[in-house]
Amino acid sequence: MTLPTTPSFRLDGKRALVAGGSSGIGLACAVALAEVGAAVTLSARNAAKLDGVVQEMRTAGLQADAITMDVADIASTEASVAEHGPFDVLVNSAGLAIHSPAIETAESDFDAVSDINFKGAYFLTRAVAKGLLAAGKPGSLINITSQMAHVGGIDRAVYCGTKFAVEGFTKAMAIEWGKQGIRVNTICPTFIRTPLTEQTFSNPDRVAWIMDKIKLGRVGEVTDMMGPVVYLASDASALMTGTHLLIDGGWTAD
């Protein structure tokens, strides 16, 4: 009898692009991928902040470099990915949240959030896929969405709409590129303590709402994202595509 062996979680020899990698969830994902052997390219708009993060990662013995990139600038993003790719793994953690009651949504806020969360995510995912298809390589493309891609939320109509949209194109792209070995999935976290969520956590009413919804009784930390991203990036999830991982503490269980 031959016992089965666990597929590897290692990413040695793989190149990963992490958009929004200079802080928060993106940074945690970048470190996680580098810790299992990937050569990680971090991207964000703030070049100085990126350089500081890369230096810290290199000091820790991790493979890291950086490119300045604004995912809302489609032409520039596509050019950067074409120049620096192909990438075996994409983690798109670039995101924007501007919350307000739906009745008060400003068109400019709608456009700003959509340009990054939906349009930017779409064309970034496509750009990395183009590089893989041209090189004849398989890959794993991961978009960070939210539990709000599966439920509604107070003052979050625009944000929810963009995240639902990413779930939709993820499924379509997974179908389109599956035969070429390119997997497309999402990770959907609950509220994670990051600079992006500081405003929410400063509101006692919002904190009470969050704690009532999360069945495990605590909010998320960036470290809660590190295991899931390694799983989806690696051969351990080789049969997963067109779907999502909910890292929500049970928020969506009822």
Side-chain angles (χ1 to χ4, degrees):
M1 173 181 183
T2 302
L3 295 175
T5 57
T6 303
S8 178
F9 286 81
R10 296 291 305 178
L11 294 172
D12 303 284
K14 302 293 186 181
R15 300 185 64 228
L17 173 64
V18 180
S22 62
S23 65
I25 289 172
L27 175 56
C29 289
V31 171
L33 297 178
E35 285 180 339
V36 293
V40 179
T41 298
L42 295 84
S43 75
R45 290 177 291 186
N46 189 323
K49 192 172 183 180
L50 273 176
D51 289 342
V53 169
V54 166
Q55 289 305 315
E56 286 194 42
M57 289 181 65
R58 289 176 176 174
T59 298
L62 304 175
Q63 299 180 75
D65 59 20
I67 52 175
T68 305
M69 192 166 73
D70 178 359
V71 300
D73 185 338
I74 306 303
S76 177
T77 294
E78 290 185 327
S80 291
V81 172
E83 177 185 356
H84 297 280
F87 296 100
D88 305 285
V89 176
L90 166 68
V91 178
N92 176 32
S93 186
L96 179 65
I98 303 175
H99 301 314
S100 67
I103 200 72
E104 297 174 10
T105 301
E107 184 178 359
S108 58
D109 289 345
F110 183 100
D111 289 343
V113 175
S114 297
D115 282 350
I116 293 177
N117 292 6
F118 177 32
K119 186 177 179 181
Y122 183 100
F123 284 98
L124 175 60
T125 306
R126 190 186 74 163
V128 176
K130 274 187 176 181
L132 290 171
L133 291 167
K137 299 181 67 177
S140 177
L141 314 182
I142 305 162
N143 279 301
I144 307 299
T145 61
S146 171
Q147 68 189 15
M148 296 299 172
H150 299 272
V151 296
I154 300 168
D155 295 343
R156 284 164 169 78
V158 175
Y159 184 80
C160 289
T162 61
K163 295 302 186 178
F164 269 80
V166 176
E167 294 291 326
F169 80 63
T170 290
K171 293 182 183 299
M173 289 178 176
I175 294 168
E176 187 171 337
W177 303 324
K179 292 292 194 296
Q180 287 75 39
I182 297 172
R183 301 186 294 114
V184 195
N185 294 290
T186 67
I187 300 178
C188 316
T190 187
F191 286 88
I192 306 286
R193 291 191 186 276
T194 70
L196 188 65
T197 58
E198 284 179 1
Q199 182 178 1
T200 296
F201 284 120
S202 67
N203 183 325
D205 292 335
R206 291 291 182 266
V207 171
W209 169 62
I210 291 166
M211 296 308 296
D212 180 62
K213 291 285 190 179
I214 298 179
K215 310 306 183 292
L216 289 179
R218 69 171 178 88
V219 299
E221 304 293 340
V222 293
T223 50
D224 291 311
M225 298 292 291
M226 297 174 81
V229 79
V230 169
Y231 173 65
L232 281 184
S234 72
D235 288 343
S237 62
L239 199 59
M240 286 188 67
T241 195
T243 189
H244 57 270
L245 289 179
L246 279 160
I247 314 299
D248 69 348
W251 185 297
T252 58
D254 61 7

